[in-house]
Amino acid sequence: MLVFVAILLCYSGFSQNPQQEIKEDFKPSSKNQPGQEYPQVNSQGYARFRIVAPAADSVRVSLGLGGQGGTKLEKNEEGVWMGTTAGPMDEGFHYYHVNVDGGTFNDPGAKNYYGSVRWESGIEIPAHDQEFYALKNVSHGSVQQILFSSPSTKTSRRAFVYTPPGYYENRDKNYPVLYLQHGWGEDETAWSNQGHANLIMDNLIAEGKTAPFLIVMTYGMTNEIKWGGLKDFDIKHFQTVLVDELIPYVDENFRTIADEEHRAMAGLSMGGMETKMITLNKPHVFSHYALLSGGTYSPKDLQNHKDLKLVFISCGSKERPDAVKNSVEELKAAGFNTVSYISEGTAHEFQTWRRSLHELAPLLFN
Amino acid sequence: MLVFVAILLCYSGFSQNPQQEIKEDFKPSSKNQPGQEYPQVNSQGYARFRIVAPAADSVRVSLGLGGQGGTKLEKNEEGVWMGTTAGPMDEGFHYYHVNVDGGTFNDPGAKNYYGSVRWESGIEIPAHDQEFYALKNVSHGSVQQILFSSPSTKTSRRAFVYTPPGYYENRDKNYPVLYLQHGWGEDETAWSNQGHANLIMDNLIAEGKTAPFLIVMTYGMTNEIKWGGLKDFDIKHFQTVLVDELIPYVDENFRTIADEEHRAMAGLSMGGMETKMITLNKPHVFSHYALLSGGTYSPKDLQNHKDLKLVFISCGSKERPDAVKNSVEELKAAGFNTVSYISEGTAHEFQTWRRSLHELAPLLFN
């Protein structure tokens, strides 16, 4: 299970072809704080950073060259530290931070996103397919924070619920539900903040490509997990919160179709591991299972899952696409309705998972 | 109007009595990131900071002594910078940041809150009355993010809507609405993130002290405002968004009682200024007006407001309580139903506004 941590720590989203000439068409990243000019990205995927710390001796950014300390900034005549990645970055969203004289800080220009068990800086390299998660002039659903009672953990826990456009007007309609989990070191804010799950759904629904359903996102590291602590992970804690506490709350407080046939579970990375564990432990709660960069199922795993409607397994082309494809071939041969998806040119990062959700949603609840 | 900016810049929440002995009962601030031990606060209201930056020459924290550069940290033998405020801080929430070798960064231990037109670090000095905004085992409402169409600004804009417990079960009940604005440099996240407006309402409703109503919070600096830019502020932009776009959206998509009698507007600091301007420009949209550290009304202002139900004016005892009291006396003498509230021992900060909302809510829509 430590593989997820290792992947997150080692991979920095660095792309090929570092020798090309850098085009000077840099623009502020779409993930910047209001009014902030830096960090910037150019049309080739290079990122440029600017940090004010006139008396510092050393400023580095964690992005740019995995395993080699990222991008070293240089102080210019005005006392401002600047630097550009040595090559283009992969399309999509990347977490990063800044090292100032040996200390870890965030870039004051960028917004923060919870990853690596801390609020990290975020930057967006514009993707060729970014329209599918863009904010458009279509009907929008809402994302609401709920606090549900959790006797097993003796507190009220937070979840976010996406309700599709029309949910409030169509007061007699009930909806299926997808339970969607984040990865290791992230939390229940990830899928809507950096994943844009709500915009992906709004756009798909506006195009008539998916039936509307609810998405429920909650925190999946129920017991305190510190760095590397996944070896002590016990799924029972989160399984109790999800199956015995959250699902009943959602079915009581939202207009759901409260049965196995209309309930799906999906997760990215560690959330995929949790999806696999919980769907195997509780075979009659969900009928659609999806693992996004989060492992595979074997036919034997699923031999008693007779009501299973769909298995979806995905990853980025820079991860282990062969493992995904092989698993899906085996599941298909064994008669399971299985779909694989490989995100071209991306690794263990959110662009892979945005695209995976975009592929998955139209397949659910048909 | 620049007064709001000036107050925010100059005041640092520093309390009296800096000569007492410091009690060594420091605990992590409740606003820390998960698992982070620092910053810490003690029972007297002192704050202690710890910043790792072994090669830095100077590390300061903006909190502690207003106008004198805050708290200077000292590097210990392990290369870690530590320091304690020179005196106790006011109760409640404070924004702050860290200066490392001349650069402005956030404290990696603290969560971030949008204030001063940037995501700042936040710290909480436990207040004697903190129970009224604590997360308790009561029925909880939800806070949902909506994206409403705004033709005047050519985009979809974000707002948060608090719906009280029972909203989803009681499908035939309609509710009054409070439109609640943040201050200068903050945004639509402030009232629920650092203001705990949802918990204040949940607790009041659980105690039977207020009737349930919706709260709608959106961004009030509709045109781009940079540092000090309030002199160019024109209320028409935000007034159009609020009155012509957001209110109709909310009335269409939520079960509201869509009339003047059941609609209130309140705001803190600059949001109070906006509340005053909009309620005077549009006398028949709202029937309850509240200014929290955000100016006052005169009887002449309100002479044509015959359907006005309530005027509420508040501030901290360290602001200008006499101006509030005098205004309220004049309004009462002129026959208006007016209530003043002074938050004891607090200044132009969120503890004043949490308490003000707690006092205001039970007075609304009676």
Side-chain angles (χ1 to χ4, degrees), chain A residues 352-366:
Chain A
T352 300
W353 307 319
R354 290 168 176 167
R355 288 176 180 165
S356 295
L357 177 60
H358 181 248
E359 295 295 318
L360 169 65
L363 306 174
L364 292 175
F365 312 120
N366 286 329

Side-chain angles (χ1 to χ4, degrees), chain A residues 223-238:
Chain A
N223 28 0
E224 281 267 314
I225 304 282
K226 308 253 166 135
W227 278 98
L230 272 180
K231 68 180 188 303
D232 300 322
F233 187 80
D234 183 345
I235 193 65
K236 279 182 192 160
H237 303 288
F238 176 55

